[in-house]
């Protein structure tokens, strides 16, 4: 399983765009990239998933360069409620879907 | 869609007793479920992979006789912490992958276990 590396923490202010970058140098051909959000004492919540290029949904965008060795989660106009831990995971769902969580990025949004 | 529930949400028990935690996929069938444990201020640690109709696969260092996993149906997996001790106190989270090729893990809300 490919290991991921993220910044331990980030600070932002309400209304700003936040970009969290994740490194996964050993990503395999069949691996997908998935981002989750976790609030204290809750299970992780799925944010977005992609394989290459750019993916966008109603809450975030995911940018994946051609070499796929990194990915960037972009949260537009964050609010206080976006304060959470964000996890980047890489896994091959064709091989059972096993995911190994890294340390995650603790995002703190200030007023 | 893709809702996963856990029961109970929190449990307090005495040392030496066994505790069962249920994980259900409410609106989809899950051939594979996963169990994680999370200590305060730490990341999720994968404990085991639960496959419907077969024995669970445990991660290195996780005692299979202490953490019994049963995945008897396509919508239910259970984790039983046997002879619980205070060091087993933790936040237990399950997740499920939708059967039929959906490539996303959906997580339950977690179960807080406190062993006195």
């Amino acid at each position: 399983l490919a290991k991921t590396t993220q910044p331990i923490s980030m600070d932002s202010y309400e209304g700003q765009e936040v970009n969290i970058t994740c490194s996964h140098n050993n990503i395999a051909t069949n691996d997908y990239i998935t981002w989750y959000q976790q609030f204290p004492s809750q299970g992780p919540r799925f944010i977005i998933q992609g394989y290459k290029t750019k993916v966008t949904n109603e809450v975030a965008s995911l940018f994946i360069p051609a070499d796929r060795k990194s990915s960037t989660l972009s949260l537009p106009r964050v609010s206080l409620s976006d304060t959470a831990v964000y996890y980047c995971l890489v896994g091959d769902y064709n091989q059972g879907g096993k995911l190994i969580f890294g340390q995650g990025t603790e995002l703190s949004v200030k007023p | 869609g893709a809702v996963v529930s856990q029961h109970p949400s929190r449990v307090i028990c005495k040392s030496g007793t066994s505790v069962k935690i249920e994980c259900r996929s409410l609106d989809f069938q899950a051939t594979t479920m996963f169990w994680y444990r999370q200590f305060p201020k730490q990341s999720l640690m994968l404990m085991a992979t639960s496959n419907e109709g077969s024995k669970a696969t445990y991660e290195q260092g996780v005692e299979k006789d202490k953490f019994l996993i049963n995945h008897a149906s396509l919508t239910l997996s259970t984790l039983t912490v046997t002879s619980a001790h205070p060091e087993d106190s933790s936040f237990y989270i399950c997740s499920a992958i939708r059967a039929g090729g959906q490539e996303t893990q959906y997580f339950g809300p977690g179960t807080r276990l406190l062993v006195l």
Side-chain angles (χ1 to χ4, degrees):
Chain A
L1 294 171
K3 181 181 177 181
T4 59
T5 303
Q6 305 173 231
I8 294 176
S9 64
M10 293 182 68
D11 290 332
S12 182
Y13 291 93
E14 282 189 293
Q16 288 187 334
E17 177 184 82
V18 171
N19 296 308
I20 306 175
T21 297
C22 176
S23 297
H24 28 80
N25 292 317
N26 297 322
I27 189 169
T29 303
N30 294 328
D31 286 341
Y32 283 76
I33 301 158
T34 311
W35 285 79
Y36 288 89
Q37 175 193 56
Q38 187 183 28
F39 298 111
S41 296
Q42 295 186 27
R45 182 178 77 98
F46 171 82
I47 301 174
I48 198 166
Q49 183 181 70
Y51 183 80
K52 61 180 180 180
T53 63
K54 177 184 175 181
V55 180
T56 297
N57 61 23
E58 62 275 10
V59 297
S61 293
L62 178 59
F63 299 92
I64 306 169
D67 65 6
R68 303 203 324 124
K69 293 184 182 297
S70 67
S71 59
T72 298
L73 173 71
S74 181
L75 304 173
R77 300 178 59 81
V78 294
S79 63
L80 295 176
S81 62
D82 292 317
T83 295
V85 178
Y86 292 82
Y87 293 99
C88 160
L89 293 107
V90 172
D92 180 1
Y93 293 94
N94 294 320
Q95 297 296 325
K98 181 174 167 178
L99 296 175
I100 301 299
F101 278 75
Q103 62 186 13
T105 297
E106 187 170 6
L107 173 66
S108 177
V109 180
K110 302 174 183 177
Chain B
V3 178
V4 177
S5 70
Q6 285 183 238
H7 178 80
S9 58
R10 60 183 62 193
V11 57
I12 301 173
C13 70
K14 293 182 179 180
S15 184
T17 61
S18 294
V19 175
K20 179 184 285 188
I21 303 170
E22 293 185 347
C23 176
R24 293 181 185 273
S25 54
L26 297 184
D27 53 358
F28 66 99
Q29 293 184 328
T31 51
T32 304
M33 290 183 171
F34 301 88
W35 286 96
Y36 297 83
R37 181 166 56 179
Q38 186 175 33
F39 293 107
K41 297 294 185 181
Q42 294 187 22
S43 184
L44 283 77
M45 184 192 79
L46 179 65
M47 299 175 68
T49 302
S50 169
N51 294 296
E52 186 268 335
S54 63
K55 291 184 178 180
T57 303
Y58 291 82
E59 294 299 302
Q60 190 173 9
V62 178
E63 299 177 57
K64 63 178 182 180
D65 295 329
K66 179 161 184 69
F67 299 99
L68 302 178
I69 293 172
N70 184 277
H71 192 158
S73 78
L74 287 174
T75 60
L76 173 65
S77 176
T78 60
L79 168 68
T80 301
V81 183
T82 63
S83 187
H85 289 93
E87 58 265 32
D88 298 322
S89 298
S90 188
F91 192 52
Y92 291 87
I93 309 170
C94 72
S95 69
I97 293 180
R98 192 196 303 263
Q102 184 67 295
E103 296 155 339
T104 303
Q105 271 190 46
Y106 296 97
F107 286 82
T111 297
R112 177 75 59 190
L113 171 63
L114 176 61
V115 184
L116 302 177

